């Protein structure tokens, strides 16, 4: 493993075999505390989303397109967080934080795929709310079972082939600098920092793809909610307006949290060095936001709360 500790002058002689994830090693006194906090968050994500998947599957009143997509979203959240959280917890507990180049590329690939899938599912959920509120009479006809399955499958598979080539392009670069990766997972910016040569074109490609992946879905969501709000304001009764808005407020909060943190991380101007601020922003959209999502959907959705109470009472009685 001596080749991984080479200095930049030696880097062009031996190919890099692994990285060392620095993570939060700059705060050694907080390792155990951070491990406990992140473990609690990860358990909340797993249990909260699993509970949503179960109750939206078994409760007859939740067999609608909205909860079908929510079930997909909850499963996606489990996959998305599981790409980074287990590794983060492991690295906080052990002194050896090395990760092979292949494992690093695999982690980056699945992180990108699941992140892109989340953008698409959030956009699909916004479209579902648009049809339900703006075209309520045609809603069962438009959002039929076949279309829902087609939309869900499209969300899950669209990013798979594109990100294979994109990840290969990044890791085909020569890495001749230090193997110390100043992050807690293999994200694009810190990996590119270690590549030798001119990475300007790759960085511009990353920026362009991020702009498309983040901006287009977000603009579609904004367009849907523009029409939704316009329709809600035209409803004659205050009770009707409150009920209509309550069906989409949870989704809107999740959208703002996810896209807000992702935009700040990938589309904001970068300094010459990866700072601790960037690391904590990444932490926000990889773990913190997914922790709140099950709470948002449960606490702000009366139908889910009623189904949850029935489900828990049933198990308590048993």
């Amino acid at each position: 493993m001596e080749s991984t500790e080479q200095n930049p002058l030696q880097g062009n002689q031996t190919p890099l075999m692994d990285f060392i994830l620095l993570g939060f090693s700059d705060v050694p006194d907080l390792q155990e505390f951070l491990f406990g906090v992140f473990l609690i968050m990860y358990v909340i994500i797993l249990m909260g989303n699993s509970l949503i998947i179960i109750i939206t599957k078994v409760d007859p009143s939740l067999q609608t397109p909205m909860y079908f997509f929510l079930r997909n979203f909850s499963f996606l959240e489990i996959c998305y967080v599981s790409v980074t959280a287990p590794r983060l917890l492991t690295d906080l507990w052990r002194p050896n934080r090395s990760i092979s180049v292949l494992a690093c590329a695999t982690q980056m690939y699945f992180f990108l795929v699941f992140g892109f899938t989340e953008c698409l599912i959030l956009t699909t959920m916004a479209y579902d709310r648009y049809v339900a509120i703006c075209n309520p009479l045609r809603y069962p006809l438009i959002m039929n079972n076949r279309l829902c399955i087609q939309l869900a499958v499209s969300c899950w598979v669209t990013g798979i082939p594109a990100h294979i080539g994109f990840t290969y392009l990044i890791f085909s670069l020569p890495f001749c600098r230090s193997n110390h990766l100043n992050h807690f997972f293999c994200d694009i910016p810190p990996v590119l920092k270690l590549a030798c040569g001119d990475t300007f074109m790759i960085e511009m490609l990353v920026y362009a793809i991020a702009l498309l992946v983040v901006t287009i879905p977000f603009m579609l969501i904004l367009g849907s909610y523009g029409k939704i709000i316009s329709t809600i304001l035209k409803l004659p009764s205050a009770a009707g307006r409150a009920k209509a808005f309550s069906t989409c407020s949870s989704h809107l909060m999740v959208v703002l949290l996810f896209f807000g943190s992702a935009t700040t991380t990938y589309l904001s101007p970068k300094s010459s060095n990866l700072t601790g601020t960037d690391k904590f922003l990444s932490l926000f959209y990889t773990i913190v936001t997914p922790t709140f999502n099950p709470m948002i959907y449960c606490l702000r959705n009366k139908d889910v709360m009623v189904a949850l109470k029935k489900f828990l009472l049933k198990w308590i009685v048993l």
Side-chain angles (χ1 to χ4, degrees):
M1 302 296 290
E2 292 181 1
S3 62
T4 63
E5 298 297 336
Q6 56 197 299
N7 60 47
L9 296 176
Q10 298 170 325
N12 57 1
Q13 299 173 5
T14 309
L16 192 67
M17 300 302 295
D18 62 6
F19 296 107
I20 295 176
L21 292 168
L22 296 181
F24 298 96
S25 58
D26 55 334
V27 284
D29 295 338
L30 295 178
Q31 299 293 295
E32 293 183 3
F33 172 75
L34 291 175
F35 177 85
V37 171
F38 296 148
L39 179 61
I40 291 171
M41 287 182 170
Y42 188 44
V43 170
I44 290 173
I45 292 167
L46 294 180
M47 293 183 63
N49 284 292
S50 296
L51 201 55
I52 289 176
I53 292 170
I54 293 170
I55 62 176
T56 55
K57 184 68 175 178
V58 302
D59 194 286
S61 65
L62 302 183
Q63 305 306 306
T64 64
M66 180 172 75
Y67 296 109
F68 169 77
F69 292 120
L70 177 57
R71 188 159 61 247
N72 274 266
F73 179 74
S74 294
F75 180 69
L76 172 63
E77 286 285 83
I78 293 174
C79 298
Y80 177 69
V81 177
S82 295
V83 172
T84 57
R87 179 83 205 191
L88 172 59
L89 293 170
T90 303
D91 287 343
L92 284 168
W93 195 254
R94 63 177 184 174
N96 179 21
R97 298 183 175 91
S98 65
I99 181 172
S100 69
V101 173
L102 178 59
C104 189
T106 303
Q107 186 186 53
M108 180 186 289
Y109 170 73
F110 282 106
F111 177 76
L112 294 175
V113 168
F114 291 140
F116 181 60
T117 302
E118 183 153 348
C119 291
L120 295 182
I121 287 186
L122 287 172
T123 306
T124 303
M125 293 171 77
Y127 175 71
D128 171 72
R129 291 299 82 208
Y130 159 73
V131 177
I133 293 174
C134 299
N135 296 283
L137 298 180
R138 298 181 59 200
Y139 179 68
L141 180 64
I142 296 174
M143 299 302 294
N144 55 67
N145 186 60
R146 182 180 177 182
L147 179 62
C148 289
I149 293 174
Q150 288 175 340
L151 288 172
V153 171
S154 298
C155 290
W156 281 98
V157 304
T158 300
I160 292 176
H163 286 101
I164 291 176
F166 186 58
T167 306
Y168 175 79
L169 182 64
I170 292 175
F171 282 89
S172 64
L173 294 169
F175 294 98
C176 57
R177 298 173 184 169
S178 168
N179 68 330
H180 288 72
L181 197 66
N182 188 17
H183 216 296
F184 61 90
F185 74 101
C186 293
D187 203 2
I188 297 173
V191 170
L192 286 179
K193 295 281 183 185
L194 303 183
C196 11
D198 186 9
T199 60
F200 177 76
M201 293 304 297
I202 297 290
E203 290 174 2
M204 288 299 98
L205 179 62
V206 169
Y207 189 85
I209 292 175
L211 193 65
L212 291 173
V213 168
V214 174
T215 304
I216 293 178
F218 188 60
M219 294 304 295
L220 290 172
I221 292 172
L222 285 183
S224 297
Y225 273 103
K227 293 184 178 294
I228 287 171
I229 293 172
S230 176
T231 302
I232 289 175
L233 293 176
K234 293 177 183 178
L235 295 177
S237 67
R241 290 193 295 269
K243 183 178 180 181
F245 187 73
S246 67
T247 64
C248 55
S249 59
S250 300
H251 175 257
L252 185 58
M253 290 178 65
V254 171
V255 165
L256 294 176
L257 285 171
F258 177 77
F259 281 97
S261 56
T263 299
T264 304
T265 301
Y266 285 99
L267 299 181
S268 60
K270 296 295 178 184
S271 60
S272 58
N273 297 309
L274 188 68
T275 64
T277 302
D278 298 311
K279 203 183 298 183
F280 279 99
L281 280 173
S282 297
L283 189 66
F284 189 80
Y285 70 80
T286 54
I287 295 181
V288 177
T289 298
T291 303
F292 288 111
N293 288 348
M295 302 178 193
I296 291 172
Y297 274 110
C298 288
L299 297 178
R300 294 189 60 84
N301 190 305
K302 293 181 180 179
D303 293 335
V304 174
M305 285 298 293
V306 170
L308 179 60
K309 289 177 182 177
K310 288 194 299 183
F311 178 79
L312 294 177
L313 286 173
K314 179 181 178 181
W315 280 99
I316 291 172
V317 171
L318 291 176

